Amino acid sequence: MPNQMLWYSKPAAEWIEGMPIGNGRLAAMVMGGVKRERLALNHEWLWKGGGRERDNRPAAHLLPDVQRLLLDGKYEEGTRAGNDAFGGAGGISGKPHRVDPFQPAGDFYFELTHGCIHHYRRALDLREALVTVDYHSSSRQHWDTHFKREYVAHFGLDKIFVRISAGDLPFDCALWLDRLMDKDCALSFSGSPAGLIMEGAFNTGVKFRVQAAVRSKDGVLACQAGRLTATGTTELIVALNIGTNVTGKTTEQECGPLIVPADDWAGLLESHRQAYSRFYGGLELELPLPEPDKPTDRRIEAYKTAESDPALPILFFNFGRYLLCSSSGIGTLPPNLQGKWNEDLNPPWESDYHLDINLEMNYWPAEPGNLPLCMNPLFDLIEKLAQHGQKAARDLFGCRGTWFPITTDAWGRATPEAYGWSVWMGAAPWLAQHLWWHYEYTLDEEFLRRHAYPFLKTVAEFLETYAIRDAAGRLQFVPSQSPENRFTLSGPKFPVSLCVSSALDLELAWDVLTHAIKAGEVLDVDEDKRGIWKELLAHLPALKVGSRGQLLEWNEEFEEVEPGHRHLSHLFGLFPGEQIDPDRTPDLFKAARKSLEIRLSNAGGHTGWSRSWVACLAARMGDGDAAMAHVRKGIAEFAAGSLLDLHPPRIFQIDGNFGGTAAMLEMLIQSYFEEIHLLPALPSCWKAGKVRGLKARGGYTVDIEWAGGRLKEARVVGVRDRPCRLKTAGGPLRVSDAAGTPVPLEEGKGIVTFHARAGAVYTVCPGNASV
């Protein structure tokens, strides 16, 4: 299968150019060095730990004054008062915040003795989740020695394995563990011929252990002064593990014994493939596009100069799915701003969880991209955060339900920690969308009952008690904001303006309330609550259109400080939301399109993740060529040579990878309101192709084949007996069952409906419908 391999003709010169491997709990960046190799190691739960028990001071008594100022149009005073009351420390306060930084576990090094190097190649196979480094060495002793190194983060055995071999020829190797100098972390080292151990202890009480068990074939192992040497070996296998003391085990208990658990490398790789394929193997995208025979970094450089390489976005697509598997996988925490990969003691933005787009974007490709097993770590964090979020809602706002902050970390504490940015009600509603999506795509009523609906309900209860009536009797959310953006009337001091009912907050409320109502109906519970939520929806302000035909971002048509702002928050209702729809709300759809045009005309989309969001929006609007142009721009301007996404100036931030993958899924299939739209935004450069394993709302798996830029055939399989609705925007459709018998169709406006039986395969082709 093409477009499943990143490869390079030289070692990585810096960490960002390395090759990421991971299984969710453990992660490593493989640098591919020749004489000296470095694996930069991470463990998902290794955060510094100083803020594990942080809490809020009561502030609910201050809310009425903040609301009065903002409702009176005193935005500068209201923004200041709102931040003083609910903004916490950090940000522009001059006081330290309490969000913990994600920490590196250390580095595993080894050095090999060999001669001159030639025919070097390092590669990451996305289908195998396997990194290989191959090269030949010439020396007086051996004219041509083929060194091969393999690296895998095992999804079954839950360890990182390294194998070093040189054919049948013996070689010497030195191995050791180390970590950056850190005044806040005490280190100790020990070792034996069985392997190496590095123990770390932060001054916060968080402890960790890194161990490297080593097995040699034919050679002699010895350990001295923290270094293990292998002499005359023909094969080395290293099993790396990391443990912390923060999840109920000691570091030693989590790491287990210092042994390599398998003799047979081929068997070890096969068991890894089988475990990994459960995550990655559900979807395949195949296009008959030429794949240049050149290293990936050179392909990207050529892409920047407008050289044609239509296959490169497919590699980016597959890489995004790989990264989500490798940073979620069998872990218990979702990917942070850098996934699970970080080499810095003080990473950008602490490598934390930003809840105003970034964490959510990480999971945009998960449901339609057939990665449901990757969702569990996100749901775990949401439910953990909701516990403290209920206390935060009471303490900060005097509200029922749950409230989430704009930033948090592994400990799931709901505290505002970015003065100037923090005052926002929308994080919990936005994350609630992902629980509802999981139900929509799977129709798992047990999940809906146990997980999705309880969270939707508690978020809706917050909105019930947070909303207040204005002088005209409308319900409003005050204070409100459009994340990280501002208008001039709020003054020059604060980076974010507080307002009354921003467009985003209204759209988030619509999203969570409509989903809570639907969930209650499916489960046949809380009829009284459903009535309250419907009443709340009926009394919220409508979204507004401005003088240029644009969707207003705030409650008034303010002058924007930065018209090309990177956030596109007011377009949430178009994507990833569903409130703004070309068929149901054409006027708002037109206004959203105008807003995007204005943003882009002012140099918007100037980060990797922002450009990915633009691509998603273009695909949602049915413009495949524009969406692909934005994907191309995202790769050309914001991808490192490793294809990892960059935030200016050159900071790795993983959400752009996931957003780009989501945009290409949006080109292939859309299923809003459980109406399946096949190839809704197919770019003209994808004239023919096939995709297997897409997912659609309503519990469907969909395979599609196309030629000449048009649908050739699709196969649809559902998990329930229920009506299946197909959009006919691309022309009339006919449906047949597995025996080739035409299936009766009910025609509607732009829709055909047929009754699908659970597990049955239906073939959809262009042509006149059978009524």
Side-chain angles (χ1 to χ4, degrees):
M1 180 70 66
N3 300 303
Q4 296 280 0
M5 185 81 71
L6 285 74
W7 70 275
Y8 305 86
S9 59
K10 57 188 177 182
E14 55 180 329
W15 180 88
I16 190 65
E17 302 295 345
M19 289 180 161
I21 60 173
N23 63 10
R25 186 179 73 92
L26 300 174
M29 192 70 83
V30 181
M31 305 303 292
V34 177
K35 178 174 174 54
R36 174 179 291 185
E37 173 64 292
R38 175 195 175 206
L39 272 70
L41 302 174
N42 291 102
H43 184 295
E44 63 172 349
W45 278 99
L46 190 56
W47 301 64
K48 205 159 190 178
R52 280 184 288 175
E53 301 299 329
R54 63 184 184 271
D55 210 343
N56 297 297
R57 60 175 178 80
H61 61 286
L62 301 172
L63 182 60
D65 287 342
V66 175
Q67 291 171 330
R68 176 180 51 78
L69 289 168
L70 293 170
L71 286 168
D72 288 347
K74 298 178 180 179
Y75 296 109
E76 185 169 4
E77 297 95 321
T79 297
R80 181 185 300 108
N83 276 280
D84 288 345
F86 314 115
I92 63 170
S93 70
K95 303 173 184 177
H97 65 72
R98 298 173 293 173
V99 173
D100 271 335
F102 182 52
Q103 291 291 285
D107 301 292
F108 170 63
Y109 292 97
F110 60 84
E111 287 184 348
L112 294 165
T113 301
H114 42 48
C116 297
I117 302 302
H118 54 97
H119 291 88
Y120 176 94
R121 176 186 169 106
R122 64 185 172 101
L124 168 58
D125 187 326
L126 303 176
R127 295 188 78 186
E128 305 285 330
L130 172 68
V131 167
T132 56
V133 176
D134 282 275
Y135 53 87
H136 291 255
S137 169
S138 300
S139 65
R140 291 180 180 179
Q141 292 80 13
H142 300 288
W143 177 245
D144 188 14
T145 304
H146 176 205
F147 279 91
K148 183 175 184 179
R149 296 156 19 197
E150 299 165 276
Y151 311 78
V152 63
H154 204 291
F155 271 63
L157 298 176
D158 196 12
K159 290 178 174 60
I160 293 172
F161 290 94
V162 181
R163 178 179 182 259
I164 310 167
S165 64
D168 294 326
L169 296 176
F171 61 92
D172 298 340
C173 183
L175 311 93
W176 69 98
L177 296 168
D178 206 352
R179 190 176 187 272
L180 291 170
M181 293 289 293
D182 182 356
K183 64 180 178 58
D184 297 327
C185 181
L187 297 176
S188 61
F189 299 86
S190 60
S192 70
L196 303 164
I197 295 173
M198 178 175 68
E199 299 275 7
F202 289 106
N203 54 16
T204 61
V206 171
K207 297 180 180 180
F208 64 97
R209 173 187 177 114
V210 182
Q211 66 181 39
V214 181
R215 174 174 289 158
S216 171
K217 182 179 180 181
D218 299 327
V220 177
L221 295 176
C223 189
Q224 185 175 5
R227 286 199 175 202
L228 192 151
T229 57
T231 306
T233 185
T234 55
E235 179 188 66
L236 279 179
I237 297 178
V238 182
L240 292 158
N241 207 349
I242 308 169
T244 71
N245 67 338
V246 300
T247 59
K249 296 180 179 179
T250 66
T251 61
E252 186 175 4
Q253 287 170 339
E254 186 175 355
C255 280
L258 188 65
I259 59 172
V260 177
D263 290 316
D264 176 21
W265 181 253
L268 186 147
L269 284 185
E270 180 57 29
S271 64
H272 163 68
R273 288 188 193 102
Q274 291 179 9
Y276 170 69
S277 66
R278 292 179 56 243
F279 291 82
Y280 184 81
L283 185 149
E284 288 184 347
L285 175 60
E286 184 177 351
L287 288 89
L289 298 172
E291 187 175 7
D293 185 21
K294 63 173 67 173
T296 304
D297 53 343
R298 287 172 52 195
R299 290 177 67 182
I300 295 170
E301 285 302 314
Y303 209 54
K304 294 178 180 179
T305 62
E307 182 176 310
S308 178
D309 187 353
L312 188 57
I314 309 306
L315 183 62
F316 190 82
F317 173 88
N318 291 327
F319 187 49
R321 293 186 73 248
Y322 165 83
L323 287 173
L324 190 54
C325 294
S326 299
S327 58
S328 293
I330 59 175
T332 55
L333 285 172
N336 58 53
L337 286 175
Q338 295 185 189
K340 298 288 174 68
W341 297 276
N342 168 48
E343 68 166 348
D344 297 319
L345 301 179
N346 297 295
W349 301 289
E350 315 307 329
S351 226
D352 67 10
Y353 296 113
H354 269 50
L355 309 187
D356 58 340
I357 175 64
N358 313 94
L359 178 58
E360 293 88 349
M361 184 180 283
N362 287 357
Y363 283 92
W364 283 357
E367 301 292 357
N370 204 347
L371 297 168
L373 295 179
C374 293
M375 296 302 304
N376 293 326
L378 177 65
F379 299 150
D380 288 347
L381 180 65
I382 289 172
E383 292 183 350
K384 182 182 182 70
L385 188 55
Q387 297 173 23
H388 192 240
Q390 292 177 350
K391 183 176 185 299
R394 294 191 303 270
D395 289 347
L396 293 173
F397 307 107
C399 293
R400 300 195 309 274
T402 193
W403 172 88
F404 283 7
I406 208 165
T407 60
T408 192
D409 52 31
W411 316 122
R413 305 301 286 181
T415 59
E417 300 292 341
Y419 183 92
W421 285 268
S422 293
V423 186
W424 184 47
M425 51 151 272
W430 199 330
L431 283 169
Q433 183 183 65
H434 287 272
L435 287 99
W436 174 250
W437 278 358
H438 193 67
Y439 168 71
E440 278 192 302
Y441 279 89
T442 64
L443 298 187
D444 184 344
E445 285 194 17
E446 186 64 17
F447 174 83
L448 184 67
R449 180 177 293 104
R450 294 182 58 191
H451 301 284
Y453 181 65
F455 187 68
L456 288 164
K457 180 178 177 180
T458 191
V459 175
E461 286 177 336
F462 176 83
L463 298 179
E464 288 176 43
T465 47
Y466 188 71
I468 62 167
R469 292 197 180 273
D470 63 14
R474 301 294 297 180
L475 288 172
Q476 303 281 3
F477 298 123
V478 192
S480 176
Q481 66 157 280
S482 192
E484 305 190 32
N485 203 1
R486 63 188 174 123
F487 48 83
T488 57
L489 276 182
S490 65
K493 177 180 177 180
F494 287 91
V496 179
S497 301
L498 298 187
C499 68
V500 174
S501 298
S502 71
L504 172 61
D505 286 349
L506 292 173
E507 291 161 12
L508 288 168
W510 185 93
D511 200 76
V512 75
L513 291 170
T514 56
H515 295 161
I517 291 166
K518 290 177 185 176
E521 291 170 349
V522 170
L523 298 173
D524 193 22
V525 296
D526 292 332
E527 184 177 359
D528 56 336
K529 279 289 186 186
R530 282 182 268 144
I532 292 171
W533 298 333
K534 290 175 183 178
E535 187 74 9
L536 176 55
L537 280 169
H539 287 86
L540 289 175
L543 298 173
K544 298 177 182 179
V545 177
S547 60
R548 292 180 288 173
Q550 84 279 23
L551 186 69
L552 291 188
E553 187 163 357
W554 295 283
N555 54 302
E556 298 181 42
E557 192 165 359
F558 297 115
E559 179 185 356
E560 300 174 67
V561 174
E562 189 181 345
H565 198 271
R566 62 194 178 278
H567 281 258
L568 304 152
S569 302
H570 53 316
L571 303 185
F572 168 91
L574 177 62
F575 186 91
E578 60 192 9
Q579 181 181 6
I580 300 174
D581 180 79
D583 301 321
R584 292 166 173 81
T585 58
D587 292 340
L588 289 177
F589 184 81
K590 181 180 178 182
R593 184 189 294 274
K594 183 64 176 179
S595 286
L596 183 59
E597 291 172 359
I598 293 172
R599 224 18 154 237
L600 293 175
S601 69
N602 287 277
H606 51 265
T607 69
W609 65 261
S610 181
R611 184 61 60 173
S612 290
W613 196 355
V614 172
C616 290
L617 289 163
R620 174 67 175 107
M621 292 188 288
D623 193 339
D625 284 341
M628 182 53 71
H630 291 301
V631 168
R632 179 189 178 107
K633 196 174 184 70
I635 296 171
E637 296 186 5
F638 302 109
S642 59
L643 272 185
L644 292 172
D645 189 72
L646 298 173
H647 187 292
R650 202 166 188 275
I651 300 168
F652 168 42
Q653 195 169 305
I654 202 168
D655 39 18
N657 286 102
F658 298 135
T661 299
M664 285 180 268
L665 288 165
E666 195 76 2
M667 298 174 199
L668 295 169
I669 192 167
Q670 296 176 18
S671 58
Y672 300 94
F673 306 102
E674 296 186 11
E675 298 168 355
I676 300 174
H677 193 174
L678 304 170
L679 306 178
L682 190 69
S684 58
C685 62
W686 289 1
K687 296 186 184 304
K690 60 178 68 173
V691 60
R692 175 190 66 81
L694 293 168
K695 292 292 186 177
R697 293 172 175 88
Y700 297 103
T701 302
V702 181
D703 303 339
I704 308 173
E705 186 174 356
W706 68 95
R710 297 181 62 83
L711 175 69
K712 182 179 179 181
E713 181 180 278
R715 287 166 296 281
V716 179
V717 181
V719 297
R720 294 271 188 88
D721 289 358
R722 67 200 315 268
C724 179
R725 294 182 289 173
L726 302 170
K727 299 193 78 169
T728 57
L733 299 172
R734 54 189 173 87
V735 181
S736 58
D737 63 18
T741 305
V743 173
L745 303 178
E746 179 183 337
E747 292 193 66
K749 186 178 180 181
I751 299 283
V752 294
T753 304
F754 68 95
H755 186 77
R757 291 181 291 107
V761 179
Y762 296 91
T763 301
V764 181
C765 296
N768 293 323
S770 174
V771 181

